[in-house]
Amino acid sequence: MIRSTLRRVTPQLIILALILALNMVMFPGFFHVEVHNGRLFGNLIDVLNRGAPVALLSVGMTLVIATRGIDLSVGAVMAISGAVAASVITGGASWIVAVLAALGAGALCGLWNGVLVAVLRIQPIVATLVLMVAGRGIAQLLTEGAILTFNDPGLVRLGGGTILSLPTPIWIWIGVAALVGLVVRRSALGLLIEATGINERSARLAGINARVLLIAVYLVAGLCAALAGVVVAADIRGADANNAGLWMELDAILAVVIGGTSLLGGRFSITASLLGALIIQSVNSAILMSGMAVEFNLVIKAVIIITILVIQSPRVRHWIYLLRASSGPGPMPRQPASRTPKIEEGRP
Amino acid sequence: MKHSMKLPLYITVATFVLAYAACVAQYPNMLSSRVIANLLTDNAFLGITAVGMTFVILSGGIDLSVGSVIAFTGVFLAVVLRDTSLHPLSAFALALLIATVFGAAMGATIHYLEMPPFIVTLAGMFLMRGLAYVLSTESVPIDHAFYGWLQSLYWQAPGGGRFRITGLLLLVTFGVAMVVLHRTRLGRNVYALGGSAQTAQLMGVPCARTTIAIYAISGGLAGLAGIVFSLYTSAGYSLATVGTELDAIAAVVIGGTLLSGGSGFVAGTFFGIMIMGLIQTYIVFDGSLSSWWTKIVIGGLLFTFIMLQKGLAWLTTARIPRANGSTARS
Amino acid sequence: MQSDPKPVLHATGISKFFPGVIALDDVELQLYPGEVHALLGENGAGKSTLIKCLTGAYPRDAGVIMLDGAEINPKDPLSSQAAGIGTVYQEVNLLSNLSVAENLFLGRQPRRFGMIDQRRMLRDSKDILAQYGLSIDPAQLLSSYSIAIQQIVAIARAVELSGKVLILDEPTASLDREEVELMFSVIRRLTARGLAVVFITHFLDQVLAICDRATILRNGCVVGTRKLAEVTQTEIVTLMLGRQLEAATHHHERRETGDVLLSLRGFGKRGAIEPFDLDIHTGEVVGMAGLLGSGRTETCNAIFGAQPADQGEARLRGSPLRISTPREAIRNRIALCPEDRKTEGIVGDLSVRENIILSLQARQGWYRPLPRAKIEEIAQSYVKALDIRLANLDTPIRLLSGGNQQKALLARWLATEPQLLILDEPTRGIDVGAHAEIIALIERLRTQGMALLVASSEMEELVAYSTKIVVLRDRRQVGALTGDDISPNAIIRAIAAEEEPRA
Amino acid sequence: ENETVGFSQIGSESGWRAAETSVTKADAKERGITLKFADAQQKQENQIKALRGFIAQGVDAILLAPVVATGWDEVLGEAKDADIPVVLLDRKVDASDDLYLTAVTSDTVHEGTVAGDWLKDAVGDAQCNVVELQGTTGASVTIDRKKGFADAIASADNITIVRSQTGDFTRAQGKIVMESFIKAEGGGSDICALYAHNDDMALGAIQAIKEAGLKPGEDIKIVSIDSVPDMHLAISKGEANATVELTPDMAGPAFDALEAYWADGTQPEKWIQTDSTLFTQDDDNEAAYENKKALGY
Ligand SMILES: Nc1ncnc2c1ncn2[C@@H]1O[C@H](COP(=O)(O)OP(=O)(O)OP(=O)(O)O)[C@@H](O)[C@H]1O
Ligand SMILES: Nc1ncnc2c1ncn2[C@@H]1O[C@H](COP(=O)(O)OP(=O)(O)OP(=O)(O)O)[C@@H](O)[C@H]1O
Ligand SMILES: [Mg+2]
Ligand SMILES: [Mg+2]
């Protein structure tokens, strides 16, 4: 199990190592970690800590993408859940209630997406686009466009606190990923999700309750987004409905794709998506540490990401495979010239 | 059953007419020539982008880079016209060339590296926006006599509406696209690719050429939209048209084209654009929505239109005996 | 015709490797003008792969292709089309989102002033289809016609494209007799014009009826090329299988069947099947016969809840039953092996092992995963019992040949230990060996007390295993045969009785 | 009476913007003016659409808070042809000034200069490494505030900007970028001051500084722009040093000018400049906080 996972994520590990090495070149003290008033302090910790929102999102997004879907609304859901948590806590409730309320809001959003996709059979991009557009409005409605600040120590600890010297967000995303990963892989859910993503019609006829499964998957994505929203709000001690999670859905999708899960659904790996999230965060951190003029941020990011994606593309991987194979004995195996089929969602 | 093919188109047109009638009932001013002219002019760049997006979506792909390409083209034009003595027409040609080549490069990447369009064009979106920043972060005004002349070309209708050259360009683009999609082999190959890429390949559709052409068209039209946008604002601004790709996709989908590809009409996209424009005009006329309610209402209307289409499509297909679905597809 | 010594197409040394599989090994194929050449072999022997290598749909790993004495090197289907090779690939490969006419003319539409000449295209399409006895409206979407019609359109398209060679990969799998005859007459017309035709099928009677020579493949190698006039059917089968096949005897000791398992009264679905009555007993095989589009598939789907019935009642062992989803059917231990393997059966990217246990797992619920050892045991035992050929159990099922996919699907359903097993065209596209095995399997399951409902287009096969046969026409049950009444002729008579002419 | 005024707002990307919207609405209500509000979601094309929509409706005046300075000539020309006066809010445009009635704005370059001058005073002759949190890349405010500050410190050789990155005008980004500044500059010990293009980023950065174990306001001096209520709170707690006010009440002067114009055609000055008041720890920040907190920030 662990060995096969390791084999699966080797490319991502190599890329992560390369990017971290790049960081090291850019900033020699990059790997330096020290304890600063009871808190681990260093760039590496920052990568793990700052990667938390995208890592959390990518857990849910991986499952959604495995079913051949996509969830564009997670950024907006982050804003909603942050706003809910903030308004509950400023209303005087305890932080636990606030977190539960935020999770409830996230679940509701996920449910809405799930129903649109699974019951009303709207294509996922469009279905989640609705909430992406409207969701931020809902969040702003809650905060009335202002940043709703709070100081509740319990809630703040979720973003800025530490447990055993390690920032709480790191614990949260590792915990959530482990939980979801375990549930999915130790039960038959993973198999059923993959079957649904590969061929929903066959899956239904084989007795899989695809409808419930789809709803569940969007629900998980909503919950993960809600948690990410709480972490981000707790981090700045305020719900910034205008900006929280803005465009973060794209980073989450990117993380999943860098993790090697196909946008056409099917086989997925949560571990690989998490590595994808860390890769993205390391790129961001490299840009910040480089001290380069801001105009170049996006170009650098684009070039690095394009390079990663090209290296990971099926065709280039195949060339690498061929190179390796041709150095060994035996005939040179080849793959059939099948083109990647297009995104083809839930045909009637 | 012939009508069942065009049904989504009719539904979109009917939706538009109904919605417009409802708006006029509430605000009679919305029937004025100004509003109609504005619908054309204000949506010209989005409409032209959406035409390209229709090609892409019909082929089963998606192009997220268009917003950035528009911004890049605008900045490029502004910088070139500011820093060189190139005539705007040559600058236009250059910009179109860059945008088309960029689109073609994305198409080639998608085809030859077998990468999903969503990701390739997402990377393209970052890259183009980034390049726009590199050219200039500041908004660069364009002050050229030729621009002034182009902007002065309009027909003032009774009632004050100005029908501009960009609106005409929008209509021409739609006309040409219709002919290309329905009356040329390339156009039919686009539909074939959207039906099933694998089958299309087995049937002898030149997949490589077609895919590259599709993204080149989308890129080129985004470039054209960039030119229109620069005429519209007389400036190039690297932060312009963020999220335009989503507007274009929404317009295409509202226009009745299936995101899964292979089915839809570019004429539907036109009405999709008009519907989106109508929504915005209505919100402005209403003038009582706060910032957040604006977002919620736009999302809600998007949802309503999708459901309306679903409902009408369901009503009309429920009566036709259901196809067995056993047509082989990959 | 073999007197002409120059082959129109000569392929030598064709080899093709897939990861872990040698699909073709040094294959040679010679086609002479004017001949119909059968390409025979078991499922997975490499027939389709050979075709795809010849037409450039797959890049080949070795080999030379000579067309009319000149070497060609097609790198995609387009270039082989241009060279005059028309192909119908296995499974209908047409575009259901385009009209019939566009499917016929895709890539070579008639043009006027650079624009597609729609009117001429429609007119020409009508003419072409008329040669096949079809008078359908070519402006309609392809998907609005039945699979059989689509298949004919595919053949017509390939014929139009073939200047020199026409390749047909299992074109008759979903055609009935009349249409096969029509197709044969078209083929004869073409060969008379000097075209060479490659014909792949698992129906040996069709091979004997139309083909002149046959090349037989086994495990990717050519085991022989024979003139069909000089060999017997048994010899061919022995060459294909590498062993003798026991004669498929129609042993019909009519045994007593058990209790009524499923009883349908006034069962039907508006717009799909008219209400009918049917009793299925344990230990009984009910065959369903009928022409294409007679409603067999829809009957199966209705009972399984895939397209739930909306009238009538069903009783399972006497107690009322309402099935509105496949899940409910599975919970009541009813299983359906669907007609269309590719889109309704297999989950292509999952391994064979996962495909086999999928339904069992789905029934158990996601929170009770099958233990690894159990999965392994189930998968292994069915692979052995059904003789599924594969490299290993981790192979994605889509890489298996059609026949082996079908067997894996059977395994999926057998693993759920159903009391009623519905098989929709279980032998479509299956080689003679597997065909016999599946018939034997049906017989075995029956004697174990399972109830089976089998829809099939092959009369002989139905006669071989059915204890009762219901005949459908126009979505209506028009007759039932039991006991000694069961014979191919009786079925044909029942179908043909007061048959109206086809549209 | 009862005039109708169309207000094309950029969006609701920040607390300050929300405050400007709510102040404008309240102001209009008080004066009995019907306000037609259109939110452009940060897009110029939506603003142009809104303006054209207002013109088509025949409003009595238009308030425009332009998202970018360029590209307004044409639509302003249309408004002029339709005899509808346009007042620009909080940002000027690159267009001939006869196309609009007046502009009520602060001087954004000047804001940066005020911040820079304060820093010069505060550090005196000591060597000072400044880190800068820029606003959204490409926004004209970003460019102006960067320029104004740079101009102000140009004369002081002891003050240098060592790092400058964008924090997108948001708290979250402000905090993240500040974290990396601290790591990159020797754990923060090499940083003497932070200049943030808006208060939100500064407030995010304050948290980053605290988490790094440093004292904001003392170890690292903090100056920023906007003077949102939370910033006053921070200053009063000594966690920040100064903020330059950008008043959200641009509409007040605008309505004054419009009412005069409607009454007798009085032409106001072409530029009504709002004050860029500096608040430091010496001012009564608690009072400022109380004043502002109900304004919808
Ligand atoms: N794309 C592929 N990748 C790997 N293996 C493949 C692929 N396609 C086919 N194979 C394997 O190659 C062999 C030959 O398959 P092929 O489809 O040519 O058989 P066939 O003779 O046409 O069988 P059938 O009669 O069932 O159609 C099989 O073992 C199959 O599993
Ligand atoms: N793809 C399709 N599109 C439209 N109608 C179809 C399609 N497939 C089948 N039908 C119609 O549905 C009815 C029943 O078809 P069904 O497939 O159940 O018949 P069948 O007897 O099982 O035939 P087959 O031998 O093809 O399985 C027929 O009238 C047929 O015309
Ligand atoms: Mg085959
Ligand atoms: Mg059938």
Side-chain angles (χ1 to χ4, degrees), chain C residues 4-82:
Chain C
D4 186 347
K6 278 204 21 201
V8 52
L9 183 113
H10 190 177
T12 44
I14 305 283
S15 296
K16 174 78 194 165
F17 311 103
F18 291 121
V21 191
I22 300 177
L24 295 174
D25 185 8
D26 196 17
V27 169
E28 169 160 16
L29 180 70
Q30 283 197 20
L31 291 182
Y32 293 98
E35 76 164 339
V36 182
H37 193 110
L39 195 55
L40 302 176
E42 289 177 283
N43 291 127
K47 305 178 294 292
S48 302
T49 308
L50 176 58
I51 299 310
K52 288 191 174 164
C53 288
L54 288 181
T55 61
Y58 285 169
R60 60 186 187 282
D61 293 321
V64 179
I65 306 170
M66 312 280 282
L67 187 72
D68 272 341
E71 187 177 339
I72 57 166
N73 193 10
K75 47 181 201 327
D76 54 19
L78 184 61
S79 41
S80 60
Q81 263 176 31

Side-chain angles (χ1 to χ4, degrees), chain C residues 48 90 169-170:
Chain C
S48 302
Q90 198 171 3
D169 193 349
E170 300 200 28

